[in-house]
Amino acid sequence: MGFFNKIKKLNVFSGLFSIDEDFFEELEEGLILSDMGMDTALEAVETLRGRVKERRLKDPEEVKACLREILVEMLEVGDTSLDLSGAPAVILMIGVNGVGKTTTIGKLAKRLKGEGKRVLLAAGDTFRAAAADQLGIWAQRVQVDMVRHEEGSDPAAVVFDAMNAARARKADVVLVDTAGRLHNKQNLMNELNKIRRVADREAPDSSKEVLLVLDATTGQNGLIQAKQFGESAGLTGIVLTKLDGTAKGGIVLAIARELGVPVKFAGLGEGADDLQPFDAQEFVQALI
């Protein structure tokens, strides 16, 4: 199964001999328990019912292949590649504290540098003690430059300086860390909007990716976070972290269906290379 072989499998096909109403009910329950959510699970099962009838499928292996086909279709909601057009391209990394955002930035910086890009990090999380220090450790580890200010300073000012530094150093990509929490949600969203405005003003012709980092183990809470951030930040993609043995993979489908935003990367471990481009086919193959 490759990269996704650690996620929890959906075992509704084990010991299956006939495709009947009991099977569809068990499948529906299994999908819901996989963190897919009620609406997404119902849609998948109803689509499967229709195709089983239309194609007159009787063999459980054929039905399994059909379900995989449907789930892949549900995941393919947009371009999973990064848009890095213009110089410097800007990637805003957003998400609540504790999801692995800083670690993900470090891993992504390493990947982009390995692709021949000149990367600059911007320590835009000025509200959390030691956030810039953590990012600085990654900057040293993967040997990329970083712009930081004092704790408590204006994150938008950090981004402004980072954009100037990127132009001076001919950087290809600016990776911006952002705060995961302020004292209320509205302040956080206003801060993200301000950072985005500065990036748009300083690099009007460059691409802007807004990647939400989500912890796969939080299940439906992750979907709630995604909706809140999506309303104000204009998401272009999701990075799903901690997609290991404790995670139920169904949340990936719930996010894709509810938000219409593609999962672009997935992370399974703490190593610098444990971040991979998301592959819908490989993921579904591992899930079922």
Side-chain angles (χ1 to χ4, degrees):
M1 298 300 169
F3 188 64
F4 295 111
N5 63 359
K6 294 180 183 176
I7 64 170
K8 287 187 176 178
K9 309 290 185 286
L10 193 64
N11 290 318
V12 290
F13 286 92
S14 58
L16 177 66
F17 297 102
S18 61
I19 308 303
D20 53 17
E21 190 54 36
D22 287 344
F23 160 73
F24 285 113
E25 286 183 9
E26 187 181 343
L27 174 61
E28 193 176 290
E29 183 182 348
L31 294 177
I32 292 168
L33 291 174
S34 77
D35 274 342
M36 197 176 290
M38 181 78 74
D39 293 342
T40 309
L42 288 175
E43 182 181 321
V45 172
E46 282 309 302
T47 305
L48 182 64
R49 279 180 196 271
R51 290 193 192 175
V52 165
K53 186 176 180 182
E54 177 189 324
R55 299 176 186 177
R56 299 178 181 176
L57 302 179
K58 301 250 187 297
D59 187 315
E61 285 303 314
E62 291 179 335
V63 176
K64 186 192 289 190
C66 188
L67 178 61
R68 284 178 177 151
E69 173 190 297
I70 290 163
L71 297 185
V72 168
E73 288 169 8
M74 293 176 85
L75 284 170
E76 291 177 337
V77 293
D79 189 354
T80 57
S81 63
L82 285 178
D83 181 0
L84 299 178
S85 56
V90 180
I91 303 176
L92 299 182
M93 304 294 288
I94 66 176
V96 300
N97 290 340
V99 295
K101 181 158 48 73
T102 306
T103 303
T104 299
I105 292 169
K107 292 176 183 178
L108 187 53
K110 183 176 189 294
R111 169 172 281 276
L112 292 171
K113 187 182 177 189
E115 294 172 359
K117 304 289 186 188
R118 185 171 292 184
V119 181
L120 178 74
L121 303 185
D125 183 355
T126 60
F127 294 90
R128 185 167 60 89
D133 292 340
Q134 288 178 330
L135 195 65
I137 291 168
W138 273 102
Q140 288 181 331
R141 187 182 299 177
V142 302
Q143 297 184 309
V144 296
D145 291 340
M146 184 178 89
V147 172
R148 66 180 292 179
H149 285 190
E150 293 298 311
E151 186 183 329
S153 55
D154 182 358
V158 178
V159 175
F160 177 81
D161 285 352
M163 299 305 294
N164 283 326
R167 282 193 292 269
R169 301 173 198 180
K170 294 185 167 48
D172 300 301
V173 184
V174 178
L175 262 171
V176 183
D177 190 12
T178 63
R181 185 182 67 196
L182 297 183
H183 60 272
N184 68 49
K185 191 183 74 153
Q186 193 54 49
N187 270 21
L188 173 59
M189 299 310 172
N190 289 344
E191 202 62 67
L192 290 174
N193 286 332
K194 187 177 176 185
I195 288 171
R196 176 63 190 259
R197 286 198 305 273
V198 169
D200 285 338
R201 188 183 70 222
E202 295 302 311
D205 299 323
S206 296
S207 61
K208 312 295 185 307
E209 287 273 4
V210 183
L211 302 183
L212 174 64
V213 183
L214 282 179
D215 178 343
T217 64
T218 60
Q220 291 296 306
N221 284 336
L223 181 58
I224 294 166
Q225 290 172 25
K227 285 180 176 176
Q228 290 176 339
F229 277 103
E231 286 166 8
S232 60
L235 302 181
T236 61
I238 303 287
V239 182
L240 212 58
T241 64
K242 306 178 189 177
L243 198 60
D244 55 20
T246 58
K248 299 173 183 176
I251 189 61
V252 182
L253 287 120
I255 290 165
R257 179 187 179 278
E258 294 276 344
L259 297 177
V261 176
V263 178
K264 297 203 172 191
F265 290 94
L268 276 88
E270 294 300 314
D273 297 314
D274 291 332
L275 183 75
Q276 297 287 335
F278 184 78
D279 183 304
Q281 296 270 4
E282 186 184 342
F283 174 78
V284 170
Q285 186 78 19
L287 185 65
I288 298 175

